Amino acid sequence: MGCYIPGTEQEQLEMLKSIGFDSFDGLFSHIPQQVRLEGGLNLPEGLSELEVIRKMADAAEKNTVFRHIFRGAGAYNHYIPAIVGSVTGKEEFVTAYTPYQAEISQGILQSIFEYQTMICELTGMDASNASVYDGATAAAEAAAMCRDRKRSTVYISAASHPDVIQVVKTYCFGSNTKVVVVPEADGVTDADALAELLAADPQAACFYMQQPNYYGCLEDADNLGRIAHEAGAKFIMGCNPISLALLKTPAECGADIAVGDGQPLGMSLAFGGPYLGFMAATAAMTRKLPGRIVGETKDDQGNRAFVLTLQAREQHIRREKASSNICSNQALCALTASVYMTAMGADGMEEAARQCMSKAHYLRDRLSAAGLASKYEKPFFHEFVTTGPEGSADAVLNALEARGILGGLPLSDHEILWCATEMNTKEEMDQVAEIVSNALSAEKKEVG
């Protein structure tokens, strides 16, 4: 990172002289003496490179690193081609922060434009923004897009990710917007309840659902979207981007806005972030998209050029008319998603999606044989919920952890949300089933 090497003492002195000072004390002479820090900061002495490496290695040993992962719930363990890190790690792209003034760089603008194009191809929608902070933020921003003076109530499926529901509620609290959680029935959104709720509320602005939902089940998105539209509400569809290589696109389901977390598109788990939230919409909703939209044009010499086409945020328009206060975008993460989708191609992404689905179904069958029954008999993509004897979840997950395997996410003391991706092998899944079977047997003996 050559451009981040600090200036030498001689270079600093030359800069001071160029603006008429001979020391830093002179530069800060306008600051009252009584508020200045005397004697320097109370910081320990610096360490050598070798000492820093040793210190970081000691800290890293406190982490538990699992070689085999069977947990998803919003962040997924996928294969990342080596070219992704090779391209995105270039100094031209890696910055200390997301680009605040993207309009100064044609390179940044083009990378965002290419990302937007790929998101539109993936979702089938007409326009995409340059990304927002994460998938939950994208869902909340999408709900804000749908509000107007006549319609303001936000409806969200109870089968959505709990974090998404909470972030939507937080956003809506700040804007005094009513949020109604539509109940789920047998692992999916209760369509009858949705229809009844929307029919009774002339102020319904939008309905958000997730595909696949939090429990891994596939929703009847076409029907839910139809119910929302018949009530005059917008239809927001949260999506797993990998699943879109196999499932119907949001556009095919009639969505007005498609959102989701782009983490599966080439981003490592990274202790929960940073990720990115993707947002795409129909042409009719484009002007309400938050943040940035980069467009393609020509310069005065007829050359291809890129510009910021739309920025509907408070720094650029009157605050009371701003649709969002999103100030920047996850440009490096968006670039990562672009490189990943380019490297994988349509065939590669479809193959990854097929492996996710087939391996998850194999894992479900093996766990069922081991003593964990499926809670929902619904079609699913790569996640599913199992149920076992009361209190069995901890015993199962602890037994797996003892063997270096991160099991599913416990939803209760006897329910677990499992996930399989292309990274999991048949041998790993057979081993998980064997460990689970033994753990349940041992638990049964203790209870008996």
Side-chain angles (χ1 to χ4, degrees):
M1 297 302 297
C3 62
Y4 290 105
I5 296 175
T8 65
E9 188 173 337
Q10 180 62 34
E11 289 170 334
Q12 293 173 8
L13 187 59
E14 290 176 3
M15 287 189 286
L16 285 168
K17 286 182 177 178
S18 69
I19 57 175
F21 297 98
D22 57 10
S23 69
F24 282 105
D25 286 339
L27 177 64
F28 299 119
S29 60
H30 62 288
I31 299 176
Q33 193 68 37
Q34 61 268 29
V35 299
R36 294 196 207 179
L37 177 68
E38 301 291 342
L41 295 172
N42 183 23
L43 295 175
E45 290 295 319
L47 302 176
S48 69
E49 181 179 335
L50 177 59
E51 289 171 320
V52 169
I53 291 173
R54 285 172 175 164
K55 195 173 186 67
M56 296 300 291
D58 289 343
E61 286 182 359
K62 298 178 182 179
N63 298 326
T64 299
V65 180
F66 294 97
R67 289 188 58 199
H68 312 298
I69 298 174
F70 291 88
R71 184 174 298 186
Y76 303 98
N77 183 36
H78 288 286
Y79 173 70
I80 303 173
I83 193 173
V84 175
S86 176
V87 172
T88 58
K90 291 181 180 296
E91 188 171 322
E92 296 90 332
F93 297 126
V94 178
T95 62
Y97 181 57
T98 54
Y100 207 80
Q101 299 295 339
E103 53 267 38
I104 67 174
S105 169
Q106 280 293 297
I108 289 292
L109 289 172
Q110 181 174 355
S111 70
I112 293 173
F113 179 81
E114 303 295 352
Y115 160 81
Q116 292 173 177
T117 302
M118 293 182 196
I119 292 297
C120 287
E121 291 177 350
L122 191 64
T123 60
M125 307 303 278
D126 299 317
S128 164
N129 69 6
S131 75
V132 292
Y133 303 138
D134 54 30
T137 302
E141 290 284 348
M145 286 173 61
C146 300
R147 296 197 310 264
D148 58 33
R149 286 175 294 178
K150 294 182 179 180
R151 292 180 173 270
S152 60
T153 310
V154 173
Y155 288 81
I156 183 168
S157 169
S160 305
H161 196 296
D163 292 349
V164 173
I165 296 174
Q166 189 58 51
V167 171
V168 169
K169 285 183 175 180
T170 301
Y171 262 63
C172 290
F173 171 80
S175 58
N176 295 316
T177 299
K178 181 181 178 182
V179 179
V180 177
V181 178
V182 181
E184 55 95 2
D186 196 24
V188 294
T189 307
D190 188 333
D192 292 336
L194 174 65
E196 185 176 335
L197 287 166
L198 293 180
D201 184 6
Q203 292 190 330
C206 62
F207 167 65
Y208 171 90
M209 59 141 284
Q210 195 172 307
Q211 181 77 315
N213 68 26
Y214 180 61
Y215 306 113
C217 301
L218 297 181
E219 298 269 7
D220 186 354
D222 300 69
N223 184 46
L224 295 174
R226 178 187 58 78
I227 292 171
H229 286 152
E230 286 179 352
K234 301 297 184 190
F235 177 36
I236 306 170
M237 191 167 164
C239 314
N240 178 313
I242 298 296
S243 74
L244 293 178
L246 286 182
L247 305 180
K248 275 187 174 183
T249 66
E252 291 171 324
C253 295
D256 297 288
I257 308 171
V259 298
D261 202 301
Q263 180 273 327
L265 301 176
M267 273 145 272
S268 63
L269 294 172
F271 294 94
Y275 300 153
L276 81 148
F278 65 84
M279 296 187 72
T282 60
M285 298 291 291
T286 299
R287 289 195 63 81
K288 292 189 175 183
L289 278 167
R292 298 170 171 152
I293 298 177
V294 175
E296 182 180 4
T297 185
K298 291 184 179 180
D299 64 17
D300 57 2
Q301 298 179 352
N303 298 316
R304 187 187 191 206
F306 301 93
V307 295
L308 283 175
T309 302
L310 181 67
Q311 296 186 98
R313 67 188 199 220
E314 62 184 11
Q315 291 112 313
H316 297 85
I317 61 178
R318 289 195 300 275
R319 182 172 297 177
E320 67 274 10
K321 290 191 175 182
S323 60
S324 170
N325 64 359
I326 287 283
C327 296
S328 190
N329 66 287
Q330 297 288 72
L332 184 61
C333 294
L335 176 67
T336 301
S338 300
V339 177
Y340 173 85
M341 287 188 280
T342 301
M344 295 290 284
D347 292 342
M349 289 191 64
E350 183 176 337
E351 176 61 23
R354 289 190 185 282
Q355 287 202 29
C356 285
M357 181 174 280
S358 63
K359 290 182 176 183
H361 282 74
Y362 179 80
L363 177 62
R364 189 272 309 269
D365 293 343
R366 295 290 287 117
L367 290 176
S368 179
L372 295 179
S374 293
K375 183 176 181 180
Y376 305 115
E377 294 303 321
K378 292 280 193 298
F380 63 95
F381 176 56
H382 70 347
E383 289 181 279
F384 57 92
V385 178
T386 61
T387 181
E390 294 291 330
S392 62
D394 281 347
V396 165
L397 297 176
N398 290 338
L400 290 170
E401 185 173 339
R403 300 285 291 274
I405 299 170
L406 180 63
L409 179 72
L411 301 182
S412 70
D413 71 347
H414 64 285
E415 296 172 331
I416 301 174
L417 175 63
W418 300 85
C419 177
T421 71
E422 76 279 11
M423 296 291 283
N424 302 119
T425 66
K426 178 178 180 295
E427 290 74 21
E428 290 174 12
M429 292 184 280
D430 290 340
Q431 182 185 19
V432 166
E434 182 182 355
I435 295 171
V436 168
S437 178
N438 292 337
L440 290 175
S441 298
E443 185 77 3
K444 188 176 181 181
K445 288 179 181 178
E446 283 189 21
V447 173

